[in-house]
Amino acid sequence: MPLPRRYWNPGDIRSRLGYMAPTRPLQQSVTVDGRTLRLSSLDKVLYPATGTTKAEVLAYYATVAPHLIRHAADRPLTRKRWIDGVGTSQAPGQVFFQKNLDDNAPAWVPRNAVRHRDHTSVYPMANDLATLTWLGQIAALELHVPQWRFGADGAARNPDRLVLDLDPGDGAGLAECAQVALLARPILQGMGLEPFPVSSGSKGLHLYCALDGRQTSSQVSAVAHELARALEADHPGLAVSDMKKALRSGRVLVDWSQNSATKTTVAPYSLRGALTPTVAAPRSWEELEAAEPEQLDHTEVMQRVESLGDLLAPATAPLASDDDDGADRAPSDRLSTYRGMRDASRTPEPVPEEPVPREVGPGGGAGFVIQEHHARRLHWDFRLEREGVLVSWALPKGPPSTPQKNHLAVQTEDHPLEYGSFEGDIPAGEYGGGQVSVWDAGTYELEKWREGKEVICTLHGRPDGGLARAGAATRRFALIRTGGTKGKNTWLIHLMKDQPEPPDDAALPARALADPALTDRALADEQPPKVTDFIPPMLATPGTERTVHDPEDWAYELKWDGIRAIATVGKGGLTLSSRNGIDITAIYPELGNLGDLLNADSAVLDGEIVALDARGRPDFALLQQRMTLTPGPEIEEARTTTPVRLIVFDLLSLEGQDVTGLEYRQRRELLGQAVDEAEDHHVQVPDSLDATLEEAVEASRQLGLEGIVAKRLSSDYQPGSRSSSWVKIKHLRTREVVVVGWRPGKGGRASTIGSLLVAVPHSGELRYMGRVGSGFTDRDLRAARTRLERLARSTPPLDDVPGAEAADAHWVTPSQVAEVHYSGHTGGGRLRHPVWRGWRPDKTPTDITGVTDITDVTDES
């Protein structure tokens, strides 16, 4: 319960701050933490709507000072001042925005300088209660700080926290911000970050995560931007990452930009210059789960800190003391890991004593070296000079010599520049013990460097170096991070298809990558690559052309009318799995040579199995004839009469490495290199359509296909999830249904089934969706009766079937899934004109997404 408005008076202020006895009640000199200040106009009303005075503002800051200082200290402080108060909605008060410290500010106020491109600004820092009291005296109600601190040497550190500002657009509010925060929480936790919510005191919500200071502001901003895009992609009706106001109506802007080194966020526990004295207040997750969370005012926050303490404390690293020389900061020495793994008295490797700063200019040097390292296992060390160190990867098979063969790369610790010329024997028993020699060295041209994600560069090696012996001294490579497992930072190194023209004197005849005997021994020592276990496929969200925002950011693929298949290929052969993990390899033996088309030792592929009609178009009815067969003579005959094809459209694993974390465009580039199409086209890797969204939809219609699938170019692969990063747009409505019974036929169907009764899941139960009586062949009806008679039951599995349709029904256990197409829904929510398409043995009733209400017309197949 909020405290009464006039609870805090000048007497309370004096007791809270330890003031000297005043000579005048509303204008006095006070001593705070040994600093003398002159306070005036303590009865001035700064918030007319609540009558809150400057005295009450000072009392508030005195109460929350330890907590506010914890989050704002050592950060450049930008102030928003309302000298005459915030005013009213009809007559807002004048606000002054200040960065530079006033000339008349007390000399004891902590300060530091920030150099900008064309000037230098001196900022105060809220490091103590005396400074907070001075800020209250000058009516600095809002205090804004960046996500980084000054170090003991006065230099800016890397950020020690990540922040997401959830800002509601028109038609949205704090409740919607809380929804987005609850969706972001598990994503951040999955990244190893624990988020803490802070209601902003204005309209929205902030999420703070503590960082270890190893990343630059630009790197943190990039991560926050990707997270914002992911939230928008998965929840387009709720979240948006684009700053344009036109896109924010009814949605929450996930503002990632405040992680920039030049941006600031209102400090936790700061007052706001709103009509009432609301506060940027730390909250609990339980509060956000409440139906209607609200912003808090200063009296509520004072009560909370006295009873709950600082809920945000875990999100901020401890402050450095004046004499520890910044000992709490994240290590700024890029060679600290390298140095900690080596004893300079026991190894001939260079072990420099001087720390290397974490940032040495924007790009660093442009030298590279590849060293052949005969350690426990032979490998090659690939090193690029950047920011004063050699960024390093270990390549078990060396650099690839062909674009068709990607090699594994494992990122290791940064090495000193002196290591670029190191050759010698590292003693046995020491880290990396074995012989090291320079395989090739030279310069490189940097094309792209996305920290921790992707590097593209062109190497210019020696005329007699290893690159020249492998084909050409000038080679263009891409390094793509695939993830981290068992403590290893795993990448793939890819020789780009488009290679620069080498100088005339650089090209030498192609030879082995290294000495053949050494290479053979290295390959023999390696363990076979691990083939990843079954990965459930990513699912698309049904939608329309209006669902696809920013169409230029998407790729468009034709939608194949078949069944999903995950193909796992390795030294153990091929395994085809349905979308729910059932082994279907034996049903489609003509796909058994997929491994021969793979330019790698192992891979996991995602695709669609289809059967084509006489016109070369996918025909689901034909595929039905294959899906229901059992291994044996029928399958062998069907290979000739009803052959199938595998349309491969995604790559989930390559050489035992999970690549689902890569962007769609990166996975597709790797896929094109990893799989060759079969000469008879029974395995195909079709390109995305080179077309606009409208052209793609029209092309699929003219080809007589089911529709298209739009895929966001930047999207990762989300196994087993239905994601809005993939949108399927169909020309014909289809729906998966559960068969719950059948009615006997009449006339020509008197001896078989007249129609099937179907339903879909709804709120944990089945909802009746009507009868399907058309689209069957005589063979379909006979097979259906045989299938369903084995599942007979005496009572209906649902209770909303109309009496006339239930009167002569034969009920069955609701375990069989089928697919129908239909023209729409009736007023009662039933399927209008449903037509049979076939059974879906690859799915179970739990795979079906049901209706949400009686008017739902969403296609969920």
Side-chain angles (χ1 to χ4, degrees), residues 308-330:
L308 302 176
D310 181 12
L311 296 177
L312 189 60
T316 298
L319 297 176
S321 63
D322 291 338
D323 58 357
D324 70 359
D325 194 27
D328 69 303
R329 77 182 67 178

Side-chain angles (χ1 to χ4, degrees), residues 590-591 593-594 596-598 644-646 648 675-685:
E590 59 264 56
L591 303 179
N593 70 335
L594 178 58
D596 298 336
L597 305 173
L598 191 67
V644 297
R645 299 188 181 194
L646 177 63
V648 182
V675 180
D676 293 331
E677 291 196 350
E679 292 183 2
D680 62 357
H681 303 298
H682 73 276
V683 174
Q684 295 178 260
V685 187

